[in-house]
Amino acid sequence: MSDSLITHIKKYVPLNEQEISIIKECVQELAVKKKEYLLKEGQICKANYFVEKGCLRMFFVGNKGEEQITQFALENWWISDYNSLMSQSPSGFYIQTIEPCSIIALTHQQHEKLASYVPAVEQYFRIIYQRAYSAAQQRIKYLYDFSREEMYRHFQQHYPTFVNRIPQYMIASFLGFTPEYLSEIRKKKQ
């Protein structure tokens, strides 16, 4: 296992060598090809996924058959359907790779084990979940406060890595645009 997960955890909480060993025993490494699914609608989410390398997306399919992307995840980001994972109920989402990925999977059971053996991990996830919730709140605010063009410009400015790595039609889906509308915005001068 690469040390990217351990390095990421240590950015938020201290760990000793014994705790690092326990963490490494509780996670599973996955190599996933481009366009493979980690989760499909109707399945129960099996794990929380930490991206070591690559890019993923989470989406649902709307009533008219259109994909609506709700989240992206790049290196050092977590992605999961937390409702399905915690309640062990069927998911309404898909999680799919955009690029070939190296991922670390942490199942709900292993997460609980880690929380009891390594209390710092519980603190780490509290911080990570708070940051994710804060980002979700900001995204909702932007939906109400920004024009469509402002939403794209904000996304472009704050997430340039995504703009360079993710196909434009996926960015349009994430922002709630059609690909054609995004093309019009991109043609305008900044």
Side-chain angles (χ1 to χ4, degrees):
M1 178 175 104
S2 113
D3 287 330
S4 60
L5 175 59
I6 301 303
T7 301
H8 195 263
I9 294 171
K10 288 170 82 173
K11 282 174 50 178
Y12 300 96
V13 296
L15 295 172
N16 63 40
E17 290 305 314
Q18 182 182 9
E19 291 169 328
I20 291 169
S21 293
I22 293 169
I23 292 167
K24 288 182 176 184
E25 289 173 16
C26 289
V27 298
Q28 178 186 9
E29 286 186 276
L30 304 172
V32 188
K33 295 176 184 173
K34 181 178 180 176
K35 294 190 177 184
E36 283 193 33
Y37 290 92
L38 296 175
L39 177 67
K40 291 184 178 180
E41 181 180 14
Q43 295 177 337
I44 295 172
C45 189
K46 295 178 182 146
N48 194 358
Y49 302 101
F50 179 81
V51 183
E52 284 191 300
K53 184 177 183 222
C55 183
L56 296 96
R57 68 182 180 137
M58 183 171 174
F59 67 95
F60 65 91
V61 177
N63 293 335
K64 296 178 184 174
E66 76 287 354
E67 292 181 1
Q68 180 60 57
I69 296 173
T70 59
Q71 183 181 350
F72 293 112
L74 293 173
E75 289 82 6
N76 297 318
W77 288 39
W78 288 93
I79 191 167
S80 187
D81 177 348
Y82 295 106
N83 183 53
S84 175
L85 180 65
M86 299 303 168
S87 67
Q88 290 296 282
S89 61
S91 177
F93 294 95
Y94 296 81
I95 298 176
Q96 182 186 38
T97 58
I98 296 172
E99 303 170 348
C101 293
S102 297
I103 298 168
I104 296 176
L106 178 63
T107 66
H108 181 63
Q109 295 79 11
Q110 292 296 67
H111 180 107
E112 293 302 313
K113 178 181 173 183
L114 271 179
S116 62
Y117 290 111
V118 184
V121 168
E122 194 71 16
Q123 181 183 4
Y124 163 76
F125 276 106
R126 179 184 52 77
I127 294 166
I128 295 301
Y129 293 152
Q130 286 173 336
R131 291 170 53 104
Y133 189 72
S134 174
Q137 287 176 320
Q138 279 303 126
R139 182 168 180 220
I140 290 169
K141 184 177 186 313
Y142 297 151
L143 289 172
Y144 289 99
D145 282 353
F146 288 176
S147 70
R148 292 176 156 213
E149 187 170 342
E150 288 171 329
M151 282 178 60
Y152 175 70
R153 300 292 178 218
H154 180 269
F155 184 81
Q156 185 182 39
Q157 181 181 5
H158 288 87
Y159 303 100
T161 305
F162 287 104
V163 174
N164 295 327
R165 287 174 67 180
I166 294 171
Q168 293 299 305
Y169 77 93
M170 289 186 187
I171 292 172
S173 173
F174 178 74
L175 295 173
F177 306 161
T178 63
E180 296 78 17
Y181 186 77
L182 181 57
S183 289
E184 288 177 26
I185 291 172
R186 294 183 70 219
K187 287 177 187 175
K188 293 180 182 179
K189 291 190 178 190
Q190 294 184 11

